Protein backbone atom coordinates (compact mmCIF):
# COMPACT_ATOMS: atom_id res chain seq x y z
CA UNK A 1 0.00 0.00 0.00
CA UNK A 2 1.14 3.50 -0.74
CA UNK A 3 2.06 5.84 2.09
CA UNK A 4 2.74 9.57 2.20
CA UNK A 5 4.85 11.21 4.90
CA UNK A 6 5.09 14.87 5.79
CA UNK A 7 7.79 15.13 8.42
CA UNK A 8 7.19 18.78 9.34
CA UNK A 9 4.06 19.13 11.51
CA UNK A 10 4.54 22.91 11.62
CA UNK A 11 6.48 25.51 9.68
CA UNK A 12 6.64 29.26 9.86
CA UNK A 13 7.98 31.91 7.51
CA UNK A 14 8.22 35.67 7.36
CA UNK A 15 5.91 37.41 4.95
CA UNK A 16 7.54 37.83 1.51
CA UNK A 17 10.10 35.09 2.23
CA UNK A 18 10.30 31.63 0.66
CA UNK A 19 9.41 28.40 2.41
CA UNK A 20 9.66 24.76 1.38
CA UNK A 21 7.36 22.02 2.66
CA UNK A 22 8.62 18.44 2.49
CA UNK A 23 6.81 15.31 1.38
CA UNK A 24 8.02 11.79 0.75
CA UNK A 25 6.01 8.83 -0.43
CA UNK A 26 6.37 5.12 -0.83
CA UNK A 27 5.10 3.21 -3.85
CA UNK A 28 6.15 0.43 -6.18
CA UNK A 29 4.19 1.96 -9.07
CA UNK A 30 5.59 4.10 -11.84
CA UNK A 31 2.40 5.77 -13.02
CA UNK A 32 0.80 8.12 -10.53
CA UNK A 33 -0.04 11.71 -9.67
CA UNK A 34 1.06 13.82 -6.73
CA UNK A 35 -0.85 16.77 -5.34
CA UNK A 36 -0.57 19.54 -2.82
CA UNK A 37 -3.83 20.68 -1.26
CA UNK A 38 -4.26 23.69 1.01
CA UNK A 39 -6.76 23.79 3.88
CA UNK A 40 -7.19 27.30 5.35
CA UNK A 41 -9.14 27.90 8.57
CA UNK A 42 -12.31 27.93 6.47
CA UNK A 43 -11.80 24.14 6.19
CA UNK A 44 -12.15 24.12 2.40
CA UNK A 45 -9.69 21.80 0.62
CA UNK A 46 -8.12 23.74 -2.24
CA UNK A 47 -5.91 22.26 -4.93
CA UNK A 48 -2.58 24.09 -5.06
CA UNK A 49 -0.58 22.14 -7.61
CA UNK A 50 -0.31 18.69 -9.20
CA UNK A 51 2.46 16.68 -10.81
CA UNK A 52 2.27 13.67 -13.09
CA UNK A 53 4.98 11.16 -12.37
CA UNK A 54 5.87 10.73 -16.05
CA UNK A 55 6.62 14.41 -16.48
CA UNK A 56 10.18 15.31 -15.60
CA UNK A 57 9.50 19.03 -15.58
CA UNK A 58 8.51 20.37 -12.19
CA UNK A 59 5.03 21.87 -12.02
CA UNK A 60 4.63 25.59 -11.33
CA UNK A 61 1.56 27.65 -10.47
CA UNK A 62 2.38 31.32 -9.95
CA UNK A 63 4.22 31.53 -6.59
CA UNK A 64 3.94 27.78 -5.99
CA UNK A 65 6.36 25.26 -7.44
CA UNK A 66 7.39 21.71 -6.70
CA UNK A 67 10.66 19.83 -6.62
CA UNK A 68 9.77 16.35 -7.82
CA UNK A 69 12.49 13.76 -7.33
CA UNK A 70 11.02 10.48 -8.60
CA UNK A 71 13.95 8.25 -7.72
CA UNK A 72 14.08 9.64 -4.20
CA UNK A 73 10.26 9.59 -3.95
CA UNK A 74 10.27 13.16 -2.80
CA UNK A 75 7.77 15.90 -3.67
CA UNK A 76 8.40 19.21 -1.93
CA UNK A 77 6.37 22.40 -2.30
CA UNK A 78 8.07 25.78 -2.52
CA UNK A 79 6.08 28.92 -1.80
CA UNK A 80 7.77 32.11 -2.93
CA UNK A 81 6.94 35.61 -1.72
CA UNK A 82 4.81 34.21 1.10
CA UNK A 83 1.59 36.07 1.79
CA UNK A 84 -0.62 36.17 4.87
CA UNK A 85 -3.29 34.33 2.89
CA UNK A 86 -0.96 31.37 2.47
CA UNK A 87 -1.41 30.47 6.13
CA UNK A 88 -3.07 27.06 6.17
CA UNK A 89 -2.62 23.31 6.58
CA UNK A 90 -0.91 21.87 3.54
CA UNK A 91 -1.48 18.27 2.56
CA UNK A 92 0.59 16.22 0.17
CA UNK A 93 -1.40 13.48 -1.59
CA UNK A 94 -0.69 10.52 -3.86
CA UNK A 95 -3.01 9.00 -6.41
CA UNK A 96 -2.30 5.87 -8.39
CA UNK A 97 -3.28 5.72 -12.05
CA UNK A 98 -4.09 2.04 -11.64
CA UNK A 99 -6.91 0.42 -9.76
CA UNK A 100 -8.88 2.49 -7.28
CA UNK A 101 -8.23 6.19 -7.78
CA UNK A 102 -8.29 7.27 -4.18
CA UNK A 103 -6.13 10.02 -2.74
CA UNK A 104 -3.68 8.93 -0.05
CA UNK A 105 -2.82 11.90 2.15
CA UNK A 106 0.11 12.82 4.32
CA UNK A 107 -0.37 14.04 7.87
CA UNK A 108 -0.29 17.69 6.90
CA UNK A 109 1.98 20.65 7.67
CA UNK A 110 0.61 23.73 9.39
CA UNK A 111 2.13 26.83 7.81
CA UNK A 112 2.18 30.11 9.72
CA UNK A 113 3.05 33.39 8.02
CA UNK A 114 4.63 36.00 10.29
CA UNK A 115 3.93 39.63 9.30
CA UNK B 1 -21.98 28.70 -8.82
CA UNK B 2 -20.77 26.33 -6.08
CA UNK B 3 -18.96 23.34 -7.62
CA UNK B 4 -19.28 20.77 -4.83
CA UNK B 5 -21.73 21.51 -2.04
CA UNK B 6 -22.55 19.68 1.16
CA UNK B 7 -25.41 19.98 3.60
CA UNK B 8 -25.37 20.52 6.44
CA UNK B 9 -22.06 22.23 7.22
CA UNK B 10 -22.42 21.49 10.91
CA UNK B 11 -24.25 18.60 12.53
CA UNK B 12 -24.51 18.06 16.28
CA UNK B 13 -26.34 14.98 17.46
CA UNK B 14 -26.65 12.45 20.25
CA UNK B 15 -25.09 9.00 20.35
CA UNK B 16 -27.32 6.36 18.84
CA UNK B 17 -29.06 8.69 16.39
CA UNK B 18 -29.16 8.22 12.62
CA UNK B 19 -28.09 11.11 10.39
CA UNK B 20 -27.43 11.88 6.73
CA UNK B 21 -25.06 14.20 4.94
CA UNK B 22 -25.86 15.26 1.39
CA UNK B 23 -23.44 16.09 -1.39
CA UNK B 24 -24.11 17.58 -4.80
CA UNK B 25 -21.74 18.56 -7.59
CA UNK B 26 -22.52 20.68 -10.65
CA UNK B 27 -19.23 20.02 -12.46
CA UNK B 28 -20.64 17.24 -14.63
CA UNK B 29 -18.25 14.76 -13.04
CA UNK B 30 -19.04 11.05 -12.98
CA UNK B 31 -17.06 10.03 -9.90
CA UNK B 32 -17.72 11.09 -6.33
CA UNK B 33 -15.99 10.35 -3.03
CA UNK B 34 -16.39 10.56 0.72
CA UNK B 35 -13.35 11.29 2.89
CA UNK B 36 -13.14 11.48 6.67
CA UNK B 37 -10.84 13.94 8.47
CA UNK B 38 -10.25 13.01 12.09
CA UNK B 39 -9.38 15.23 15.03
CA UNK B 40 -5.69 15.09 14.11
CA UNK B 41 -6.51 16.39 10.64
CA UNK B 42 -5.74 13.06 8.97
CA UNK B 43 -7.76 12.52 5.80
CA UNK B 44 -8.78 9.07 4.61
CA UNK B 45 -10.97 7.77 1.82
CA UNK B 46 -14.19 6.07 2.80
CA UNK B 47 -16.13 5.46 -0.40
CA UNK B 48 -16.13 6.22 -4.09
CA UNK B 49 -18.87 5.97 -6.68
CA UNK B 50 -18.55 6.05 -10.45
CA UNK B 51 -21.77 6.53 -12.39
CA UNK B 52 -23.78 5.48 -9.35
CA UNK B 53 -21.71 2.30 -8.94
CA UNK B 54 -19.67 1.70 -5.76
CA UNK B 55 -16.01 1.30 -6.69
CA UNK B 56 -14.16 1.98 -3.45
CA UNK B 57 -15.31 0.76 -0.07
CA UNK B 58 -12.55 1.10 2.47
CA UNK B 59 -12.64 -0.53 5.91
CA UNK B 60 -15.60 1.43 7.16
CA UNK B 61 -18.17 0.17 9.70
CA UNK B 62 -21.35 -0.96 7.97
CA UNK B 63 -23.20 1.69 9.97
CA UNK B 64 -22.01 3.98 7.17
CA UNK B 65 -23.96 3.60 3.94
CA UNK B 66 -23.41 5.75 0.89
CA UNK B 67 -26.18 6.26 -1.61
CA UNK B 68 -25.91 7.74 -5.07
CA UNK B 69 -29.29 8.53 -6.61
CA UNK B 70 -27.63 9.98 -9.70
CA UNK B 71 -24.20 11.04 -10.96
CA UNK B 72 -24.47 14.48 -9.36
CA UNK B 73 -25.35 13.33 -5.85
CA UNK B 74 -23.67 11.15 -3.25
CA UNK B 75 -25.21 11.02 0.20
CA UNK B 76 -23.79 9.48 3.35
CA UNK B 77 -26.11 7.90 5.88
CA UNK B 78 -24.80 6.96 9.31
CA UNK B 79 -26.73 4.69 11.66
CA UNK B 80 -26.33 4.40 15.42
CA UNK B 81 -23.84 7.24 15.72
CA UNK B 82 -20.91 6.76 18.08
CA UNK B 83 -18.58 9.25 19.76
CA UNK B 84 -15.76 8.14 17.46
CA UNK B 85 -17.74 9.21 14.41
CA UNK B 86 -17.09 12.84 15.32
CA UNK B 87 -15.03 14.22 12.45
CA UNK B 88 -15.18 16.39 9.37
CA UNK B 89 -16.60 14.58 6.35
CA UNK B 90 -15.62 15.77 2.91
CA UNK B 91 -17.29 15.01 -0.37
CA UNK B 92 -15.23 15.27 -3.55
CA UNK B 93 -15.76 14.71 -7.25
CA UNK B 94 -13.68 14.10 -10.36
CA UNK B 95 -14.12 13.14 -13.96
CA UNK B 96 -13.39 9.50 -14.58
CA UNK B 97 -11.49 8.85 -11.37
CA UNK B 98 -8.21 9.85 -13.03
CA UNK B 99 -8.84 13.55 -12.99
CA UNK B 100 -8.16 15.94 -10.15
CA UNK B 101 -10.55 15.66 -7.23
CA UNK B 102 -12.40 18.79 -6.14
CA UNK B 103 -13.65 18.99 -2.61
CA UNK B 104 -16.78 20.29 -0.96
CA UNK B 105 -16.64 22.57 2.11
CA UNK B 106 -16.88 19.68 4.56
CA UNK B 107 -19.44 18.76 7.22
CA UNK B 108 -18.35 18.88 10.83
CA UNK B 109 -20.16 16.11 12.68
CA UNK B 110 -20.15 16.21 16.49
CA UNK B 111 -21.58 13.28 18.39
CA UNK B 112 -22.39 13.95 22.04
Amino acid sequence: AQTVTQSQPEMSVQEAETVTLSCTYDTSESDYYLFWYKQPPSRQMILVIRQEAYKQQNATENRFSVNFQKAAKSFSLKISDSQLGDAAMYFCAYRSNQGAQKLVFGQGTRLTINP
Amino acid sequence: DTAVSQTPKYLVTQMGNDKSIKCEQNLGHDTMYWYKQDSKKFLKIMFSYNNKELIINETVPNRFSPKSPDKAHLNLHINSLELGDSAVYFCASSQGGWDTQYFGPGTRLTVL
Side-chain angles (χ1 to χ4, degrees):
Chain A
Q2 296 85 16
T3 58
V4 177
T5 302
Q6 293 178 247
S7 59
Q8 306 154 315
E10 297 184 353
M11 293 281 286
S12 64
V13 64
Q14 289 295 125
E15 195 176 1
E17 297 290 304
T18 295
V19 64
T20 299
L21 308 183
S22 301
C23 173
T24 58
Y25 58 96
D26 187 26
T27 184
S28 58
E29 298 175 337
S30 59
D31 187 13
Y32 52 87
Y33 268 91
L34 295 163
F35 302 84
W36 279 98
Y37 280 88
K38 167 186 176 182
Q39 187 178 37
S42 67
R43 200 170 69 207
Q44 179 74 52
M45 292 289 289
I46 302 166
L47 176 68
V48 175
I49 200 165
R50 66 178 178 178
Q51 174 81 42
E52 186 174 6
Y54 272 109
K55 291 188 176 178
Q56 292 186 345
Q57 187 172 4
N58 289 323
T60 299
E61 289 286 343
N62 300 316
R63 299 182 294 107
F64 298 87
S65 61
V66 298
N67 183 2
F68 174 48
Q69 302 288 330
K70 192 172 184 180
K73 296 179 184 174
S74 170
F75 183 60
S76 60
L77 174 70
K78 185 171 85 170
I79 306 174
S80 304
D81 185 25
S82 298
Q83 300 176 0
L84 294 177
D86 295 334
M89 283 288 289
Y90 285 81
F91 292 94
C92 179
Y94 170 102
R95 196 207 70 211
S96 169
N97 277 353
Q98 303 167 19
Q101 294 87 39
K102 62 183 180 182
L103 287 171
V104 178
F105 286 92
Q107 306 92 320
T109 297
R110 182 178 300 281
L111 178 63
T112 302
I113 312 295
N114 299 314
Chain B
D1 60 343
T2 303
V4 183
S5 60
Q6 294 179 227
T7 52
K9 288 190 177 175
Y10 298 93
L11 186 53
V12 181
T13 188
Q14 299 289 329
M15 261 196 320
N17 284 350
D18 302 339
K19 290 294 178 185
S20 292
I21 305 171
K22 296 185 177 181
C23 177
E24 177 181 2
Q25 55 92 7
N26 62 6
L27 297 167
H29 290 164
D30 60 4
T31 305
M32 296 184 72
Y33 311 80
W34 279 109
Y35 287 86
K36 178 180 180 180
Q37 186 174 40
D38 64 23
S39 59
K40 295 184 178 180
K41 301 288 189 181
F42 186 67
L43 278 147
K44 189 174 179 185
I45 184 78
M46 299 174 71
F47 302 103
S48 173
Y49 269 75
N50 177 266
N51 280 321
K52 302 194 299 176
E53 181 182 347
L54 182 66
I55 57 173
I56 297 175
N57 186 351
E58 292 287 294
T59 311
V60 176
N62 57 16
R63 298 182 295 103
F64 290 78
S65 54
K67 286 185 173 55
S68 181
D70 56 55
K71 281 196 321 183
H73 296 84
L74 179 61
N75 304 323
L76 183 65
H77 188 76
I78 316 170
N79 289 327
S80 303
L81 278 156
E82 300 177 356
L83 293 176
D85 297 333
S86 295
V88 178
Y89 293 85
F90 284 96
C91 177
S93 73
S94 69
Q95 182 57 32
W98 285 274
D99 194 9
T100 298
Q101 294 179 26
Y102 295 92
F103 284 76
T107 296
R108 180 177 293 280
L109 171 64
T110 303
V111 182
L112 303 175

